[in-house]
Amino acid sequence: MAHRTRVFLTLALTVTMAAAACSTGGSTSPQASGAAGGKPNIVLVLTDDLSMNLLQYLPHVQDMAKTGTTFADYTVTDSLCCPSRSSLFTGMVPHNTGVFTNGGKDGGYATFHGRGDDKSTFATSLQQAGYHTAMMGKYLNGYDPKTSGVPPGWNEWDVAGNGYGEFDYDLNENGTIKHYGKTPQDYLVDVMAGKAAQFVGSSAGAHTPFAIELATFAPHGPYTPAPRDADAFPGLTAPRGPAFDTLPSAAPPWLASRTPLTDKEKQKIDQDFRKRAQAVQSVDAMIGTVQAALDKAGVRDNTDIVFTSDNGYHMGEYRLTPGKQTAFDTDVHVPLVVTGPGVKAGATVDQPAENIDLRPTFEALAGARTPDQVDGESLVPLLRGTTPQAWRTVGLVEHHGPDFDKTDPDKPTKNSGNPSTYEAIRGATYTYVEYTDGTKEYYDRSKDPQELHNTAADLPADTAKQLHDTLQAMISCHGATACRH
């Protein structure tokens, strides 16, 4: 890419030359100024269930890593769609959003909306700061395009309900319901790409700063690729790393009895992995379409693009069939790639970052105030190559389980893993987990990157106490300062 634009991968955040506004409220540099007074445009590409091992099939994202900044230790607050997305929108951890699952009394759109979480998001902040905002694709589990309406903060709203199959879905287009069928041109990711390109053109033409969230259902199951990609990657099989079909030592009770994968399960894993690689081809093409629209409008040099995912995905690791919701890195560690003005090219940030940091980052870029209740902190300094004097050392993960909700599209299938309730902290070199039944896990990822040796029982007493105390402080924290450990 000849031009620098930020693409937040799965929410990769970018910083413009005006990034100083994040802490000072100052004006932007003339070099980064656009027709809208120098405020950068923001494009967030949030994928669904995209694991780290799919990055190699996304050439536009690989190019973003070369021209922008990659976060090596980016964690989600839960490896589950709704809790993670709620944290991204609000900048708050699950115990502050109240969203722990995809439905029921402690999750889903109903809880998010019922608690008023949708009244204070990065969208409401950016809209108040003069941005033209757009939401396209997937919102939150339980959102019904026919009855749920358009939440605050969004100027353009093109959102589906059950769009996992990519065809035969309803789209709420600014309050009007439109049904899309089964023809190739109805493929949801492509529809999103076309609408995003139009939004870029109209916003740039109006000399208005804009922010778009492009939230794909892909590559979530049933892993439907665009028809043009249905024959891609012949013979592709799932990675067979050290954790594949291997049970960790001292495994927690929910996992300990898992038997080795059968040949049939391995075959299905290989088939599904190939379909996932095929499905992300449309996501990569969408990024290219948006970049081309930015070029055509002449605003790419003043646009931050972020690429990320709401959670990861395991496929055979730890003897588990495809799924998520665990505290293993396969599930909670996801990509975050950012490109744009002021973002260091080819850089890797090692400091821990979390999806709660995206809201305050967007607000910093826009020169908007971050509300006091936000638990995350702006990534702008890190994008510019500096580290704040005070920065977190761990990310918090909060999970409620097991999940037996028959209406949940993420309900674990047999043998895919269905953990009981746990809280965890993920540092740069370790992961520590506590379950409500008293079970604990500790993985020293500096020595055991595959997380195959649970050494919680072998920790020195003072280390074990420190980890426990840190976790207990985190699960009751409120606000950025308290949630920084």
Side-chain angles (χ1 to χ4, degrees):
M1 299 189 304
H3 300 279
R4 287 188 180 180
T5 301
R6 291 175 191 164
V7 178
F8 289 43
L9 284 155
T10 225
L11 285 184
L13 233 54
T14 55
V15 168
T16 66
M17 304 286 290
C22 74
S23 58
T24 66
S27 61
T28 60
S29 142
Q31 291 89 338
S33 281
K39 291 184 177 181
N41 308 305
I42 298 170
V43 177
L44 168 63
V45 179
L46 177 65
T47 55
D48 194 343
D49 288 5
L50 189 138
S51 49
M52 296 292 289
N53 55 22
L54 288 179
L55 286 179
Q56 59 187 310
Y57 305 105
L58 292 155
H60 281 96
V61 175
Q62 293 177 39
D63 195 48
M64 285 175 56
K66 295 175 183 176
T67 59
T69 293
T70 298
F71 286 77
D73 273 304
Y74 180 67
T75 305
V76 295
T77 53
D78 188 18
S79 179
L80 188 60
C81 295
C82 219
S84 177
R85 290 165 189 264
S86 298
S87 289
L88 192 156
F89 280 127
T90 64
M92 298 190 298
V93 292
H95 69 257
N96 288 328
T97 65
V99 180
F100 289 94
T101 65
N102 284 342
K105 296 181 179 180
D106 63 351
Y109 168 77
T111 297
F112 186 80
H113 175 67
R115 290 174 55 93
D117 289 338
D118 52 3
K119 295 179 180 178
S120 180
T121 64
F122 73 77
T124 60
S125 292
L126 296 185
Q127 190 182 67
Q128 291 167 8
Y131 275 67
H132 196 207
T133 59
M135 174 72 201
M136 300 180 182
K138 178 180 178 179
Y139 185 46
L140 295 170
N141 296 81
Y143 175 83
D144 186 340
K146 294 182 178 180
T147 61
S148 298
V150 179
W154 302 101
N155 298 101
E156 176 77 16
W157 183 261
D158 301 297
V159 172
N162 184 3
Y164 294 100
E166 303 292 344
F167 293 104
D168 195 20
Y169 56 90
D170 290 322
L171 207 63
N172 183 319
E173 299 181 346
N174 301 313
T176 299
I177 308 303
K178 181 177 179 180
H179 182 75
Y180 288 78
K182 299 180 180 180
T183 65
Q185 57 265 36
D186 292 322
Y187 187 77
L188 180 52
V189 179
D190 292 347
V191 171
M192 293 169 56
K195 288 182 176 295
Q198 292 175 356
F199 181 81
V200 167
S202 62
S203 298
H207 306 292
T208 303
F210 59 85
I212 317 173
E213 177 174 338
L214 294 169
T216 67
F217 286 83
H220 191 289
Y223 329 113
T224 305
R228 61 181 176 275
D229 299 316
D231 295 323
F233 309 114
L236 182 65
T237 58
R240 299 292 203 270
F244 189 86
D245 202 18
T246 303
L247 199 65
S249 63
W254 67 266
L255 177 62
S257 62
R258 180 68 183 108
T259 55
L261 295 168
T262 65
D263 289 342
K264 184 178 180 179
E265 287 173 332
K266 292 178 183 178
Q267 183 180 22
K268 185 65 165 59
I269 287 170
D270 287 336
Q271 293 172 348
D272 288 347
F273 185 81
R274 182 189 176 200
K275 290 176 66 177
R276 283 166 57 79
Q278 293 170 340
V280 298
Q281 298 313 294
S282 62
V283 177
D284 198 68
M286 180 183 70
I287 294 172
T289 296
V290 173
Q291 290 173 336
L294 294 167
D295 286 335
K296 183 178 180 181
V299 297
R300 186 167 174 187
D301 286 337
N302 193 39
T303 302
D304 294 311
I305 305 175
V306 178
F307 176 87
T308 191
S309 180
D310 60 353
N311 51 257
Y313 207 64
H314 55 257
M315 299 193 77
E317 293 88 354
Y318 315 111
R319 295 183 178 174
L320 297 174
T321 56
K324 49 195 175 185
Q325 305 194 32
T326 81
F328 291 116
D329 263 14
T330 51
D331 297 7
V332 300
H333 173 44
V334 300
L336 177 60
V337 180
V338 181
T339 65
V343 177
K344 289 194 67 176
T348 298
V349 172
D350 293 323
Q351 285 78 11
E354 197 157 20
N355 52 353
I356 55 174
D357 298 326
L358 292 183
R359 175 183 181 174
T361 304
F362 295 147
E363 290 166 339
L365 293 172
R369 178 183 174 277
T370 295
D372 293 339
Q373 75 267 20
V374 170
D375 302 320
E377 299 185 80
S378 170
L379 299 173
V380 167
L382 295 169
L383 288 169
R384 301 186 71 191
T386 62
T387 302
Q389 288 186 344
W391 191 255
R392 75 165 56 88
T393 59
V394 297
L396 174 67
V397 182
E398 298 180 291
H399 179 75
H400 283 189
D403 181 359
F404 297 121
D405 183 357
K406 295 180 179 179
T407 66
D408 185 359
D410 292 323
K411 178 182 176 295
T413 58
K414 182 181 179 181
N415 298 332
S416 69
N418 198 356
S420 54
T421 296
Y422 67 81
E423 288 93 20
I425 48 176
R426 183 181 181 276
T429 60
Y430 71 88
T431 297
Y432 174 73
V433 188
E434 289 187 1
Y435 294 85
T436 53
D437 66 358
T439 300
K440 298 178 181 179
E441 292 177 277
Y442 180 85
Y443 300 98
D444 182 349
R445 300 195 321 274
S446 64
K447 300 176 182 178
D448 177 28
Q450 298 292 325
E451 298 173 306
L452 292 173
H453 304 289
N454 175 16
T455 59
D458 302 324
L459 291 172
D462 57 342
T463 301
K465 183 179 186 304
Q466 182 180 23
L467 289 167
H468 173 77
D469 291 347
T470 298
L471 179 58
Q472 292 304 304
M474 290 287 285
I475 63 176
S476 61
C477 72
H478 301 279
T481 301
C483 292
R484 182 201 306 142
H485 284 271

PDB file of all heavy atoms in Angstrom, residues 315-333:
ATOM      1  N   MET A 315      -9.241 -25.149  17.162  1.00  0.00           N
ATOM      2  CA  MET A 315      -9.622 -26.183  16.194  1.00  0.00           C
ATOM      3  C   MET A 315      -8.691 -27.384  16.367  1.00  0.00           C
ATOM      4  O   MET A 315      -7.713 -27.546  15.640  1.00  0.00           O
ATOM      5  CB  MET A 315      -9.551 -25.659  14.762  1.00  0.00           C
ATOM      6  CG  MET A 315     -10.480 -24.485  14.485  1.00  0.00           C
ATOM      7  SD  MET A 315     -10.667 -24.124  12.722  1.00  0.00           S
ATOM      8  CE  MET A 315     -11.808 -25.453  12.246  1.00  0.00           C
ATOM      9  N   GLY A 316      -8.975 -28.185  17.379  1.00  0.00           N
ATOM     10  CA  GLY A 316      -8.167 -29.377  17.630  1.00  0.00           C
ATOM     11  C   GLY A 316      -7.195 -29.222  18.772  1.00  0.00           C
ATOM     12  O   GLY A 316      -6.730 -30.235  19.329  1.00  0.00           O
ATOM     13  N   GLU A 317      -6.846 -27.982  19.123  1.00  0.00           N
ATOM     14  CA  GLU A 317      -5.948 -27.788  20.255  1.00  0.00           C
ATOM     15  C   GLU A 317      -6.614 -28.294  21.532  1.00  0.00           C
ATOM     16  O   GLU A 317      -7.820 -28.167  21.719  1.00  0.00           O
ATOM     17  CB  GLU A 317      -5.591 -26.304  20.404  1.00  0.00           C
ATOM     18  CG  GLU A 317      -4.747 -25.736  19.286  1.00  0.00           C
ATOM     19  CD  GLU A 317      -5.554 -25.199  18.116  1.00  0.00           C
ATOM     20  OE1 GLU A 317      -6.805 -25.371  18.135  1.00  0.00           O
ATOM     21  OE2 GLU A 317      -4.968 -24.609  17.203  1.00  0.00           O
ATOM     22  N   TYR A 318      -5.798 -28.911  22.406  1.00  0.00           N
ATOM     23  CA  TYR A 318      -6.240 -29.432  23.703  1.00  0.00           C
ATOM     24  C   TYR A 318      -7.335 -30.498  23.557  1.00  0.00           C
ATOM     25  O   TYR A 318      -8.194 -30.653  24.428  1.00  0.00           O
ATOM     26  CB  TYR A 318      -6.718 -28.274  24.608  1.00  0.00           C
ATOM     27  CG  TYR A 318      -5.754 -27.114  24.552  1.00  0.00           C
ATOM     28  CD1 TYR A 318      -6.116 -25.911  23.939  1.00  0.00           C
ATOM     29  CD2 TYR A 318      -4.467 -27.232  25.064  1.00  0.00           C
ATOM     30  CE1 TYR A 318      -5.217 -24.860  23.844  1.00  0.00           C
ATOM     31  CE2 TYR A 318      -3.564 -26.191  24.972  1.00  0.00           C
ATOM     32  CZ  TYR A 318      -3.939 -25.008  24.362  1.00  0.00           C
ATOM     33  OH  TYR A 318      -3.039 -23.973  24.251  1.00  0.00           O
ATOM     34  N   ARG A 319      -7.312 -31.198  22.408  1.00  0.00           N
ATOM     35  CA  ARG A 319      -8.268 -32.259  22.102  1.00  0.00           C
ATOM     36  C   ARG A 319      -9.694 -31.736  21.903  1.00  0.00           C
ATOM     37  O   ARG A 319     -10.655 -32.510  21.954  1.00  0.00           O
ATOM     38  CB  ARG A 319      -8.266 -33.341  23.193  1.00  0.00           C
ATOM     39  CG  ARG A 319      -6.966 -34.120  23.303  1.00  0.00           C
ATOM     40  CD  ARG A 319      -7.086 -35.225  24.359  1.00  0.00           C
ATOM     41  NE  ARG A 319      -5.852 -36.019  24.433  1.00  0.00           N
ATOM     42  CZ  ARG A 319      -5.625 -36.962  25.332  1.00  0.00           C
ATOM     43  NH1 ARG A 319      -6.553 -37.242  26.237  1.00  0.00           N
ATOM     44  NH2 ARG A 319      -4.496 -37.639  25.327  1.00  0.00           N
ATOM     45  N   LEU A 320      -9.836 -30.452  21.674  1.00  0.00           N
ATOM     46  CA  LEU A 320     -11.153 -29.852  21.545  1.00  0.00           C
ATOM     47  C   LEU A 320     -11.547 -29.676  20.078  1.00  0.00           C
ATOM     48  O   LEU A 320     -10.739 -29.226  19.252  1.00  0.00           O
ATOM     49  CB  LEU A 320     -11.186 -28.481  22.235  1.00  0.00           C
ATOM     50  CG  LEU A 320     -10.955 -28.492  23.740  1.00  0.00           C
ATOM     51  CD1 LEU A 320     -10.866 -27.073  24.275  1.00  0.00           C
ATOM     52  CD2 LEU A 320     -12.070 -29.270  24.449  1.00  0.00           C
ATOM     53  N   THR A 321     -12.782 -30.017  19.771  1.00  0.00           N
ATOM     54  CA  THR A 321     -13.304 -29.738  18.442  1.00  0.00           C
ATOM     55  C   THR A 321     -13.584 -28.225  18.357  1.00  0.00           C
ATOM     56  O   THR A 321     -13.527 -27.519  19.355  1.00  0.00           O
ATOM     57  CB  THR A 321     -14.587 -30.549  18.183  1.00  0.00           C
ATOM     58  OG1 THR A 321     -15.542 -30.254  19.226  1.00  0.00           O
ATOM     59  CG2 THR A 321     -14.282 -32.043  18.165  1.00  0.00           C
ATOM     60  N   PRO A 322     -13.861 -27.672  17.161  1.00  0.00           N
ATOM     61  CA  PRO A 322     -13.929 -26.216  16.990  1.00  0.00           C
ATOM     62  C   PRO A 322     -14.843 -25.510  17.984  1.00  0.00           C
ATOM     63  O   PRO A 322     -15.982 -25.915  18.216  1.00  0.00           O
ATOM     64  CB  PRO A 322     -14.436 -26.074  15.555  1.00  0.00           C
ATOM     65  CG  PRO A 322     -13.873 -27.263  14.851  1.00  0.00           C
ATOM     66  CD  PRO A 322     -13.982 -28.364  15.861  1.00  0.00           C
ATOM     67  N   GLY A 323     -14.304 -24.439  18.571  1.00  0.00           N
ATOM     68  CA  GLY A 323     -15.067 -23.661  19.536  1.00  0.00           C
ATOM     69  C   GLY A 323     -14.230 -22.547  20.138  1.00  0.00           C
ATOM     70  O   GLY A 323     -13.169 -22.181  19.631  1.00  0.00           O
ATOM     71  N   LYS A 324     -14.717 -22.005  21.252  1.00  0.00           N
ATOM     72  CA  LYS A 324     -14.052 -20.882  21.935  1.00  0.00           C
ATOM     73  C   LYS A 324     -14.434 -20.918  23.407  1.00  0.00           C
ATOM     74  O   LYS A 324     -14.663 -21.999  23.956  1.00  0.00           O
ATOM     75  CB  LYS A 324     -14.455 -19.566  21.276  1.00  0.00           C
ATOM     76  CG  LYS A 324     -15.956 -19.406  21.076  1.00  0.00           C
ATOM     77  CD  LYS A 324     -16.263 -18.270  20.114  1.00  0.00           C
ATOM     78  CE  LYS A 324     -17.744 -18.204  19.825  1.00  0.00           C
ATOM     79  NZ  LYS A 324     -18.067 -17.202  18.800  1.00  0.00           N
ATOM     80  N   GLN A 325     -14.432 -19.776  24.079  1.00  0.00           N
ATOM     81  CA  GLN A 325     -14.852 -19.591  25.472  1.00  0.00           C
ATOM     82  C   GLN A 325     -13.811 -20.014  26.501  1.00  0.00           C
ATOM     83  O   GLN A 325     -14.030 -19.838  27.702  1.00  0.00           O
ATOM     84  CB  GLN A 325     -16.205 -20.267  25.759  1.00  0.00           C
ATOM     85  CG  GLN A 325     -17.326 -19.819  24.830  1.00  0.00           C
ATOM     86  CD  GLN A 325     -18.709 -20.209  25.298  1.00  0.00           C
ATOM     87  OE1 GLN A 325     -18.963 -20.284  26.502  1.00  0.00           O
ATOM     88  NE2 GLN A 325     -19.621 -20.452  24.361  1.00  0.00           N
ATOM     89  N   THR A 326     -12.688 -20.578  26.099  1.00  0.00           N
ATOM     90  CA  THR A 326     -11.659 -20.955  27.059  1.00  0.00           C
ATOM     91  C   THR A 326     -10.740 -19.766  27.322  1.00  0.00           C
ATOM     92  O   THR A 326     -10.801 -18.741  26.649  1.00  0.00           O
ATOM     93  CB  THR A 326     -10.816 -22.133  26.552  1.00  0.00           C
ATOM     94  OG1 THR A 326      -9.805 -21.663  25.643  1.00  0.00           O
ATOM     95  CG2 THR A 326     -11.682 -23.182  25.864  1.00  0.00           C
ATOM     96  N   ALA A 327      -9.834 -19.925  28.295  1.00  0.00           N
ATOM     97  CA  ALA A 327      -8.848 -18.885  28.600  1.00  0.00           C
ATOM     98  C   ALA A 327      -7.528 -19.124  27.878  1.00  0.00           C
ATOM     99  O   ALA A 327      -6.569 -18.370  28.081  1.00  0.00           O
ATOM    100  CB  ALA A 327      -8.611 -18.822  30.114  1.00  0.00           C
ATOM    101  N   PHE A 328      -7.480 -20.146  27.049  1.00  0.00           N
ATOM    102  CA  PHE A 328      -6.264 -20.399  26.274  1.00  0.00           C
ATOM    103  C   PHE A 328      -6.066 -19.300  25.230  1.00  0.00           C
ATOM    104  O   PHE A 328      -7.028 -18.679  24.756  1.00  0.00           O
ATOM    105  CB  PHE A 328      -6.347 -21.758  25.579  1.00  0.00           C
ATOM    106  CG  PHE A 328      -6.284 -22.941  26.513  1.00  0.00           C
ATOM    107  CD1 PHE A 328      -7.365 -23.813  26.631  1.00  0.00           C
ATOM    108  CD2 PHE A 328      -5.146 -23.186  27.262  1.00  0.00           C
ATOM    109  CE1 PHE A 328      -7.312 -24.902  27.485  1.00  0.00           C
ATOM    110  CE2 PHE A 328      -5.078 -24.282  28.121  1.00  0.00           C
ATOM    111  CZ  PHE A 328      -6.165 -25.142  28.241  1.00  0.00           C
ATOM    112  N   ASP A 329      -4.811 -19.086  24.851  1.00  0.00           N
ATOM    113  CA  ASP A 329      -4.494 -18.047  23.875  1.00  0.00           C
ATOM    114  C   ASP A 329      -5.194 -18.255  22.538  1.00  0.00           C
ATOM    115  O   ASP A 329      -5.447 -17.280  21.820  1.00  0.00           O
ATOM    116  CB  ASP A 329      -2.983 -17.971  23.650  1.00  0.00           C
ATOM    117  CG  ASP A 329      -2.335 -16.871  24.484  1.00  0.00           C
ATOM    118  OD1 ASP A 329      -2.993 -16.362  25.421  1.00  0.00           O
ATOM    119  OD2 ASP A 329      -1.168 -16.516  24.204  1.00  0.00           O
ATOM    120  N   THR A 330      -5.471 -19.500  22.191  1.00  0.00           N
ATOM    121  CA  THR A 330      -6.199 -19.749  20.951  1.00  0.00           C
ATOM    122  C   THR A 330      -7.503 -18.959  20.906  1.00  0.00           C
ATOM    123  O   THR A 330      -7.968 -18.570  19.819  1.00  0.00           O
ATOM    124  CB  THR A 330      -6.536 -21.239  20.814  1.00  0.00           C
ATOM    125  OG1 THR A 330      -7.179 -21.685  22.029  1.00  0.00           O
ATOM    126  CG2 THR A 330      -5.296 -22.069  20.546  1.00  0.00           C
ATOM    127  N   ASP A 331      -8.077 -18.675  22.083  1.00  0.00           N
ATOM    128  CA  ASP A 331      -9.400 -18.073  22.186  1.00  0.00           C
ATOM    129  C   ASP A 331      -9.398 -16.606  22.614  1.00  0.00           C
ATOM    130  O   ASP A 331     -10.247 -15.834  22.164  1.00  0.00           O
ATOM    131  CB  ASP A 331     -10.254 -18.865  23.178  1.00  0.00           C
ATOM    132  CG  ASP A 331     -10.514 -20.301  22.734  1.00  0.00           C
ATOM    133  OD1 ASP A 331      -9.932 -20.723  21.722  1.00  0.00           O
ATOM    134  OD2 ASP A 331     -11.290 -21.000  23.411  1.00  0.00           O
ATOM    135  N   VAL A 332      -8.487 -16.205  23.506  1.00  0.00           N
ATOM    136  CA  VAL A 332      -8.535 -14.835  24.051  1.00  0.00           C
ATOM    137  C   VAL A 332      -7.495 -13.900  23.462  1.00  0.00           C
ATOM    138  O   VAL A 332      -7.597 -12.675  23.615  1.00  0.00           O
ATOM    139  CB  VAL A 332      -8.392 -14.834  25.590  1.00  0.00           C
ATOM    140  CG1 VAL A 332      -9.522 -15.625  26.234  1.00  0.00           C
ATOM    141  CG2 VAL A 332      -7.028 -15.352  26.022  1.00  0.00           C
ATOM    142  N   HIS A 333      -6.499 -14.431  22.785  1.00  0.00           N
ATOM    143  CA  HIS A 333      -5.462 -13.595  22.165  1.00  0.00           C
ATOM    144  C   HIS A 333      -5.764 -13.475  20.673  1.00  0.00           C
ATOM    145  O   HIS A 333      -5.756 -14.471  19.951  1.00  0.00           O
ATOM    146  CB  HIS A 333      -4.087 -14.230  22.378  1.00  0.00           C
ATOM    147  CG  HIS A 333      -2.973 -13.542  21.650  1.00  0.00           C
ATOM    148  ND1 HIS A 333      -2.836 -12.174  21.608  1.00  0.00           N
ATOM    149  CD2 HIS A 333      -1.941 -14.042  20.910  1.00  0.00           C
ATOM    150  CE1 HIS A 333      -1.772 -11.857  20.903  1.00  0.00           C
ATOM    151  NE2 HIS A 333      -1.224 -12.982  20.461  1.00  0.00           N
TER     152      HIS A 333
END
